[in-house]
Amino acid sequence: MAKPGRPGAGGKGKKGSIKGSGGQGRRKLEGRGPTPKAEDRVYHVAHKRKQLAERSAAKRGGQQRAPRRRPNDDNEYVTGRNSVLEALRTRIPATTLYIAQRVEIDDRVTEMLAIARKRDLPILEVTRPELDRMAGFDGVHQGVALKVPPYEYAHPQEMLEEIVDRGETPLLVALDGVTDPRNLGAIIRSTAAFGGQGLIIPQRRSAGVNSAAWKTSAGAAARIPVAMAPNLTTTLKELKKQGVFVLGLDGGGDVRMPEVELADRPLVLVIGSEGDGLSRLVTETCDQIVSIPISDAAESLNAGIAASVALYQVSTLRAAQEEAAE
């Protein structure tokens, strides 16, 4: 009796002459062609998912399930109902609108769908876990997301020229070492709220306009341009040549914010990081270092709050000076 072997292994129990392979081994090595995709194999679970998705798409009138985000995807995803709606209203070059399955429809979602259909923008239905991945860690999507290409930064000088051509007094914000994109988004939102026309961020050691910044800006990133400077100090010096005054915010500033006399001039407010503040070269470039008076109960303000207070103060001083001039 032959000894048991591994399942499928050939045995040696058969006696007699053994025929040659006759090329059988060569044919086996040739293979059976490319392996079909999982969704094309009728016995595979992916095939059943594909069939269900196609039937669901037919019932929904052409909407399709969206693919998962690829790890090498360079696009950004704007999430949250206010942010997505504002981005659609301002006609940023979006490529896809994602809607969660069984999403609760309100006026904002209704308007999103209307704008997307008018612009022939693809509308894809996805599961909430897929939206969670698009929103990223700690992101809140409220059942909607908008896929947009990488942010296109403005040029600092061109941004200044456009403001002057509109007959406006420039009020810009420059960030020095602010690396939290949520702080960047909050500052973009404050800049829009208090009459600022744009921001400048350095190419290095700075947060960029990504999905987190889009979310925190609550859509303001679609209205306020952000320029990128290869070197912040050099850019500030160029702005000074154009007649723009540079005010740096620092807790040890010589001038208190309410006492600033340059509010009606073309201004760029420079905000440093909460930990390190303004860098030495940027500090030396500023025309004036300004402080925000706070009580002893707090040691400092973070970049987003400091920018909001300073922008509000400048807008208040400008309004008062305009009233006095009238």
Side-chain angles (χ1 to χ4, degrees), residues 10 34 77 109 149 151 167 181 196 245 248 255 271 275 288 306 316:
Y77 294 87
V109 175
Y151 187 84
F245 289 87
V255 180
I271 315 294
Q288 206 169 63
T316 301

Coordinates of all heavy atoms in Angstrom, one line a residue, residues 10 34 77 109 149 151 167 181 196 245 248 255 271 275 288 306 316:
G10 N 1.4 13.4 -6.9 CA 1.3 12.1 -7.7 C 1.9 11.0 -6.9 O 2.9 11.1 -6.2
P34 N -3.7 36.0 -18.9 CA -3.8 36.9 -17.7 C -5.0 36.5 -16.8 O -6.0 36.0 -17.3 CB -4.0 38.3 -18.4 CG -4.6 38.0 -19.7 CD -4.0 36.7 -20.2
Y77 N -9.7 67.0 -1.1 CA -11.1 66.8 -0.9 C -11.6 67.8 0.0 O -11.3 67.9 1.2 CB -11.4 65.4 -0.4 CG -11.0 64.3 -1.4 CD1 -9.7 63.8 -1.5 CD2 -12.0 63.8 -2.3 CE1 -9.4 62.8 -2.4 CE2 -11.7 62.8 -3.2 CZ -10.4 62.3 -3.2 OH -10.1 61.4 -4.2
V109 N -27.6 70.8 0.5 CA -27.4 69.6 -0.4 C -28.2 69.8 -1.7 O -27.7 69.4 -2.8 CB -27.7 68.3 0.3 CG1 -27.6 67.1 -0.6 CG2 -26.9 68.1 1.5
P149 N -8.6 69.8 -7.7 CA -7.1 69.6 -8.0 C -6.3 70.3 -7.0 O -6.8 71.1 -6.2 CB -7.0 70.2 -9.4 CG -8.2 71.2 -9.5 CD -9.3 70.6 -8.7
Y151 N -4.2 73.0 -5.0 CA -4.4 74.5 -4.9 C -3.4 75.2 -5.8 O -2.2 74.9 -5.8 CB -4.3 75.0 -3.5 CG -4.7 76.4 -3.3 CD1 -6.1 76.8 -3.1 CD2 -3.8 77.4 -3.3 CE1 -6.4 78.1 -3.0 CE2 -4.1 78.7 -3.1 CZ -5.4 79.1 -2.9 OH -5.8 80.4 -2.7
G167 N -8.6 99.7 -7.0 CA -8.7 100.9 -6.3 C -8.9 100.7 -4.8 O -9.4 101.6 -4.1
P181 N -2.3 73.6 9.3 CA -3.3 74.0 8.3 C -4.6 74.5 8.8 O -5.3 75.3 8.2 CB -3.5 72.7 7.5 CG -3.1 71.6 8.4 CD -2.0 72.1 9.3
G196 N -9.6 91.9 4.5 CA -8.3 91.6 3.9 C -8.5 91.1 2.5 O -9.5 90.5 2.1
F245 N 3.5 99.0 4.0 CA 4.1 99.0 5.4 C 3.9 97.6 6.0 O 2.9 96.9 5.8 CB 3.4 100.0 6.3 CG 3.8 101.4 5.9 CD1 3.0 102.1 5.0 CD2 4.9 102.1 6.5 CE1 3.3 103.4 4.6 CE2 5.2 103.4 6.1 CZ 4.4 104.0 5.2
G248 N 4.7 93.7 12.1 CA 4.9 92.3 12.7 C 4.2 92.2 14.1 O 4.2 93.2 14.9
V255 N 4.6 99.0 20.1 CA 3.4 99.7 19.9 C 2.2 98.8 20.1 O 2.2 97.7 19.6 CB 3.3 100.3 18.4 CG1 2.0 101.0 18.2 CG2 4.5 101.1 18.1
I271 N 2.2 87.4 10.9 CA 1.9 86.6 12.0 C 2.9 85.5 12.2 O 3.2 84.7 11.2 CB 0.5 86.0 11.9 CG1 -0.5 87.0 11.4 CG2 0.0 85.3 13.2 CD1 -0.8 88.1 12.3
G275 N 4.7 79.2 19.0 CA 5.9 78.8 19.8 C 7.1 79.7 19.6 O 7.6 80.3 20.6
Q288 N 7.4 98.1 11.8 CA 6.9 98.3 13.2 C 6.5 96.9 13.8 O 5.9 96.1 13.1 CB 5.7 99.2 13.2 CG 5.5 100.0 14.5 CD 4.5 101.1 14.3 OE1 3.3 100.8 14.0 NE2 4.8 102.3 14.4
A306 N -4.7 85.7 17.1 CA -4.0 86.9 17.0 C -4.3 87.6 15.7 O -4.4 88.8 15.6 CB -2.5 86.6 17.1
T316 N -11.4 98.3 12.2 CA -12.1 99.3 13.0 C -11.4 100.7 12.9 O -12.1 101.7 12.8 CB -12.1 98.9 14.5 OG1 -12.7 97.6 14.6 CG2 -12.8 99.9 15.4

